[in-house]
Amino acid sequence: MEKQVHFIHFLFALFCFSYTKFSVAAEGLVNGRRENGSVKLFVFGDSYADTGNWEKFAASWKEPYGFTFPGKPAGRFSDGRVLTDYIASFLGIQSPVPYTWRKTVEKSGLQSGMNFAFGGTGVFDTFINAPNMSTQIDFFQQLLEEKAYTKQDLYSSIALVSLAGNDYTTYIQRNGKLQGLPAFTTSLISQLSASLKRIHGFGVRKIAVTTLQPLGCLPISTAFSSYENCSESWNAASRFHNQKLQQEIQRMNKESRENIYETLDLYTAFMSKLSPAGNMKPSSFLMPCCVGMASDYSCGNIDKNGAKKYVVCEKPELSIFWDMVHPAQNGWDQVYSSLKSSLHRLY
Ligand SMILES: *[C@@H]1O[C@H](CO)[C@@H](O)[C@H](O)[C@H]1NC(C)=O
Ligand SMILES: *[C@@H]1O[C@H](CO)[C@@H](O)[C@H](O)[C@H]1NC(C)=O
Ligand SMILES: *[C@@H]1O[C@H](CO)[C@@H](O)[C@H](O)[C@H]1NC(C)=O
């Protein structure tokens, strides 16, 4: 009997010991898996991920942006929540604070990680003057040098990387045509891959990268067909990018002998929600909710007298797209419901 008690004590002590050791070594991990509610999320990307990094002159800070959530313009390029918010809710944490707000929040406000994403940016420079992916990672590096996060924090944290759409629109604006795109994709993937390795190099052991959305189905691409048909050549460009990305991710995981990198398939998630079921007209899926009243205006524009030069649809909660390039909260909600089954790989 006594022996048994001793044995139980011994087991218990062993358990306590290993448990303490473990929680000291890797906070946020339980049995080697990330724990819901206690991981940190670091985000790099563009407007699909930005939750407020831009200064107040940006469209994301003007009406009617943000009117579904949080109820007024607050820096998101949508009527409400964006990808970052959904991923954070899946992880059971607050949406990470935008980098440019870090000094305005209390230290505890930094515990769910940080969002370095800026709308309009890319892996390379775009026509928008905002930090590209390398610079966003520089910001992260600076914070780590200032010891804003510990090695243990990073060990159980997750990085979300979501961009590249603006790289393609910039390419087209520069070159006027899709010709030469495969070579561009190759250099883009190689730069992206180097950036992902850099993030991993700081000690982040799970990095989720989104595939490119179907560029040909964005309202800006479908407007010419009255929002009826997606542009197949643009979608083919997205698919080519995604194929190269997935190959590179596989190669990198093989090289690191661990599944550090995961792709989140935005392309498939969007397409599954944009394919009309039954006899619903495709236009009801492809039509943006908020549009300019004439071609020289866009969502959120006002004239010099302050008069609105845009119209908002009656039911944004049914729209996939909010403006010419950005999903509405409902769109993100639907995309999230498609992505959800693959998000378990982040734990
Ligand atoms: C994590 O927790 C949040 C609420 O705390 C929950 O909504 C979410 O579904 C959880 N995620 C998983 C994968 O269990
Ligand atoms: C990103 O921006 C920085 C700062 O402007 C610049 O030096 C760098 O070349 C850019 N990187 C890429 C990959 O375009
Ligand atoms: C959209 O595609 C369908 C099927 O290919 C075609 O019949 C229709 O004319 C197209 N609509 C426009 C506005 O181009």
Side-chain angles (χ1 to χ4, degrees), residues 222-230 282:
T222 61
F224 78 96
S225 72
S226 316
Y227 309 113
E228 251 180 50
N229 294 329
C230 298

Side-chain angles (χ1 to χ4, degrees), residues 63-79:
E63 280 179 5
Y65 287 81
F67 91 99
T68 302
F69 173 83
K72 58 172 193 217
R76 286 176 178 77
F77 292 84
S78 177
D79 62 313

Side-chain angles (χ1 to χ4, degrees), residues 35-37 87-93 336 340 343-344 347:
E35 190 184 5
N36 194 358
I87 303 289
S89 81
F90 180 84
L91 299 172
I93 58 173
Y336 172 61
K340 222 169 173 176
L343 290 176
H344 288 278
Y347 284 99

Side-chain angles (χ1 to χ4, degrees), residues 150-161:
T150 64
K151 280 251 175 302
Q152 293 97 303
D153 289 337
L154 296 180
Y155 194 82
S156 62
S157 70
I158 293 171
L160 170 67
V161 174

Side-chain angles (χ1 to χ4, degrees), residues 123-125 132 134-135 191:
V123 173
F124 295 125
D125 286 334
N132 61 30
S134 317
T135 307
Q191 177 66 38

Side-chain angles (χ1 to χ4, degrees), residues 269-333:
F270 270 108
M271 288 312 271
S272 71
K273 302 301 173 182
L274 291 171
S275 321
N279 5 335
M280 259 175 105
K281 279 184 65 181
S283 56
S284 48
F285 294 92
L286 297 176
M287 189 113 70
C289 174
C290 179
V291 289
M293 281 174 172
S295 61
D296 34 350
Y297 293 115
S298 47
C299 177
N301 283 176
I302 49 173
D303 68 12
K304 52 181 185 302
N305 304 319
K308 284 181 189 171
K309 288 295 171 186
Y310 61 89
V311 284
V312 178
C313 67
E314 263 173 41
K315 295 190 169 156
E317 68 275 17
L318 298 181
S319 293
I320 300 278
F321 291 109
W322 167 242
D323 62 15
M324 295 305 273
V325 283
H326 301 118
Q329 173 172 298
N330 171 58
W332 281 124
D333 202 78

